[in-house]
Amino acid sequence: MPTLHPRRAAVGSAAVVIAASLALTACGGEPSPTSEVAPTTLTFGVQAAPNSLDPAQLHDGQQRYVWGAVYDTLIYSDNEGVLKPGAAKSWEYSADAKSLTLKLRDDMEFSDGDPVTSAAVKTSLERTRTTAGPQQSNLSAVASIDTPDEHTAVLNLKRQDPDLLVSLSYGAGAIGDPGTINEARTALDPVGSGPYTLDRTATVDGTKYVLNRRDDYWNAKAYPFKTVTVRVIPDRTALFNALLTNELDAGTVDAAQAKQIEANGFSLTPVEDVSTAAIVIADRAGQVAPPLADVRVRQAINYAFDRKKMLNALVGGNGRPTEQVFNKLSPAYSEELDNAYSFDPGKARTLLKEAGYPSGFTLAMPANAIVQQFQASITQALADIGIKVDWEPVPAQSSSQTTKWGMYFNLGTTAAPSRTTSLYFGKNGSQNPFRYEDPKMNDLLAKLAGEADPTRAGEIYKEINKYATDNAWIAPLFSLKSTWAMKKGLEYRGTGSAVPDLRVFGVTGK
């Protein structure tokens, strides 16, 4: 995966990982023109609606298709995962990497006509870092923000943070209008500086989001579609049928569906390693699930799964089995670790016996929409080694990443190694709800934060990956791929390193 070292200044003009590749597809609404005229509209679908459009409550992943159209982020992550200028036209770290200076564009306006200034950036970032929400931990290294002039923002850091630039290209870097950001309307009808505005008349919250392009946007030429409709349709069969009946512009299809959809005139674009399905064994100190404090128990859980069989049965072989949370696009990836936990229920039962659980134990896990497709297989695999799972329903708008459950299923998007490391292994990471710390991991994280050479940083990432895998902090299952079916005149331009941004969709030949 391409990386950009945080101390390097970036200058120039600004030019997905699909969060749930199994469920993400295009659907519904008015189809694009089928003539030779370039399409000007796009309709596609996602599995889940945005929980909120408030900058402090944004979720990364497929929800970004909506909020990323309304808001600019300070830095832009392109279709190859390379960090490029966004609202910030350049940035530079101090020599000790504890101060980040961002130079803002001077031609940006919010959709209400107010200019985007460093004061607006400060308001948004200060609010996000002090408000409980999914983005708060991503700005935990920020101590204060200075605004020496209207187009310069300086982030003063408590500590070095190798993930900060990536975070500023995600939800933590979204800029809201300071005049309205604290109003109740922000959750559903925000004022941003992004390339689109939300059409409240046509939008049905939780079902359909209609976006209209701002022709006065500073980079409008990067967005060829005048109107984009994002539909929330969780049923894949219905989505596939809608593709077949030409109701859709584009969508992801399973391997078994690909030939039929291609015969209907769609082009196919496969995208490898877009997301990783895994069980996060979060309670490594055994606070709510005491057995998980024993590494032998965590290893037993890893040995319980026939990953290849699950991959073929549950997702039609769309991906590859894996036993590490970093995928092949990452410098942290190590081929040998994909053989760390071959399917061996006998060994799993032996490990449980050695750990003092010869009769197994019962464990609660959260049951949300994402895990439903995998729930029965997880239940059976763990039952076969003596672990009984009690699934507890979780409302759609609630998080499973809390201290209520010792482990949970997660479908995580491909991300830069700094972000994956921060999310899963950093003290404040969203995938580390128990704020678990380990002396060896802390040493590796400190070593990484002070490393200026990308090659040496890559070796440290490999050490982090191996240590986490050996200690079974996560039970990865498979790295997923998606295949995009695109109508004539449209093309999918994303890679496994792309974030879910509207710029992954383009018009053929343009």
Side-chain angles (χ1 to χ4, degrees):
M1 174 182 297
T3 59
L4 181 66
H5 193 267
R7 296 184 187 176
R8 185 181 306 162
V11 295
S13 60
V16 165
V17 178
I18 301 159
S21 61
L22 304 177
L24 177 62
T25 193
C27 65
E30 294 296 323
S32 295
T34 56
S35 68
E36 294 302 318
V37 177
T40 59
T41 65
L42 174 70
T43 302
F44 68 98
V46 294
Q47 180 188 21
N51 62 308
S52 173
L53 298 179
D54 184 322
Q57 303 302 328
L58 301 177
H59 279 278
D60 298 310
Q62 61 178 317
Q63 297 191 20
R64 185 193 179 109
Y65 284 120
V66 177
W67 69 252
V70 176
Y71 295 116
D72 276 307
T73 53
L74 284 162
I75 296 172
Y76 166 61
S77 179
D78 74 5
N79 290 340
E80 300 292 335
V82 177
L83 299 182
K84 292 184 175 179
K89 64 181 181 181
S90 67
W91 58 85
E92 187 169 12
Y93 272 92
S94 59
D96 63 359
K98 294 185 71 175
S99 176
L100 175 64
T101 299
L102 299 155
K103 293 290 186 180
L104 307 179
R105 301 184 62 87
D106 60 7
D107 56 354
M108 297 176 60
E109 292 183 349
F110 291 105
S111 58
D112 63 1
D114 289 342
V116 177
T117 65
S118 58
V121 171
K122 179 176 180 177
T123 296
S124 292
L125 267 61
E126 288 282 14
R127 184 173 178 273
T128 296
R129 80 179 186 89
T130 59
T131 302
Q135 297 297 334
Q136 185 179 27
S137 65
N138 295 322
L139 296 177
S140 62
V142 178
S144 63
I145 301 171
D146 296 329
T147 55
D149 62 54
E150 280 199 346
H151 299 106
T152 303
V154 181
L155 278 57
N156 304 302
L157 308 183
K158 306 171 190 175
R159 62 182 185 278
Q160 296 171 332
D161 182 1
D163 187 48
L164 182 58
L165 291 183
V166 176
S167 292
L168 295 179
S169 74
Y170 282 67
I175 308 167
D177 170 39
T180 59
I181 197 170
N182 290 313
E183 296 178 5
R185 64 169 287 183
T186 299
L188 297 175
D189 186 21
V191 177
S193 64
Y196 290 81
T197 57
L198 190 66
D199 186 336
R200 283 306 315 170
T201 302
T203 292
V204 180
D205 295 318
T207 301
K208 179 176 71 171
Y209 298 84
V210 179
L211 302 159
N212 295 322
R213 188 180 63 198
R214 293 177 56 199
D215 291 334
D216 62 345
Y217 181 65
W218 64 273
N219 196 25
K221 66 180 183 295
Y223 298 88
F225 305 106
K226 185 174 182 179
T227 302
V228 175
T229 302
V230 182
R231 295 284 302 274
V232 182
I233 309 280
D235 187 272
R236 283 186 60 76
T237 300
L239 293 174
F240 177 64
N241 289 336
L243 279 168
L244 290 177
T245 55
N246 282 320
E247 298 173 33
L248 316 181
D249 294 320
T252 56
V253 295
D254 296 334
Q257 301 167 335
K259 185 175 293 186
Q260 186 176 0
I261 205 68
E262 193 170 24
N264 276 258
F266 288 79
S267 62
L268 300 179
T269 302
V271 187
E272 301 287 342
D273 284 348
V274 297
S275 57
T276 300
I279 293 174
V280 179
I281 308 176
D283 188 14
R284 298 155 203 151
Q287 294 181 38
V288 299
L292 299 183
D294 194 310
V295 65
R296 292 168 295 187
V297 171
R298 301 194 301 267
Q299 290 171 340
I301 291 169
N302 269 271
Y303 282 117
F305 298 103
D306 187 338
R307 292 165 170 84
K308 186 174 182 180
K309 181 178 179 180
M310 290 177 66
L311 178 73
N312 292 331
L314 300 177
V315 297
N318 281 325
R320 59 179 180 80
T322 189
E323 292 157 39
Q324 56 188 302
V325 72
F326 295 93
N327 62 41
K328 289 183 177 179
L329 300 171
S330 173
Y333 176 80
S334 176
E335 187 174 358
E336 66 181 23
L337 292 180
D338 270 339
N339 296 310
Y341 297 103
S342 300
F343 177 52
D344 193 338
K347 186 169 186 176
R349 287 188 287 269
T350 298
L351 285 167
L352 288 180
K353 183 177 180 181
E354 292 175 356
Y357 301 97
S359 300
F361 57 88
T362 298
L363 184 72
M365 289 183 67
N368 55 20
I370 298 296
V371 76
Q372 285 181 1
Q373 184 173 358
F374 310 95
Q375 193 168 318
S377 294
I378 293 171
T379 300
Q380 187 60 56
L382 293 178
D384 287 346
I385 67 169
I387 299 176
K388 181 181 183 297
V389 178
D390 283 340
W391 294 96
E392 299 179 353
V394 180
Q397 279 71 41
S398 298
S399 174
S400 300
Q401 302 160 11
T402 73
T403 55
K404 183 176 181 179
W405 298 285
M407 68 184 196
Y408 55 86
F409 177 83
N410 184 62
L411 191 60
T413 58
T414 296
S418 61
R419 186 163 185 80
T420 300
T421 298
S422 176
L423 291 178
Y424 287 94
F425 311 128
K427 180 181 178 181
N428 297 306
S430 61
Q431 301 291 348
N432 185 14
F434 289 87
R435 303 298 178 245
Y436 179 77
E437 291 189 270
D438 173 273
K440 172 66 174 176
M441 182 61 76
N442 284 349
D443 287 346
L444 289 170
L445 295 176
K447 187 178 175 183
L448 176 66
E451 183 51 69
D453 181 78
T455 300
R456 289 197 293 269
E459 293 305 313
I460 299 171
Y461 282 124
K462 280 185 166 60
E463 289 185 64
I464 289 171
N465 189 12
K466 186 176 189 318
Y467 188 73
T469 302
D470 288 347
N471 284 276
W473 286 359
I474 304 167
L477 300 175
F478 24 80
S479 183
L480 299 166
K481 71 176 181 180
S482 65
T483 299
W484 278 90
M486 309 296 295
K487 266 188 179 177
K488 185 177 182 180
L490 298 172
E491 61 184 7
Y492 182 82
R493 297 172 176 172
T495 67
S497 298
V499 296
D501 185 270
L502 293 182
R503 288 167 74 171
V504 300
F505 303 108
V507 175
T508 305
K510 294 189 176 183

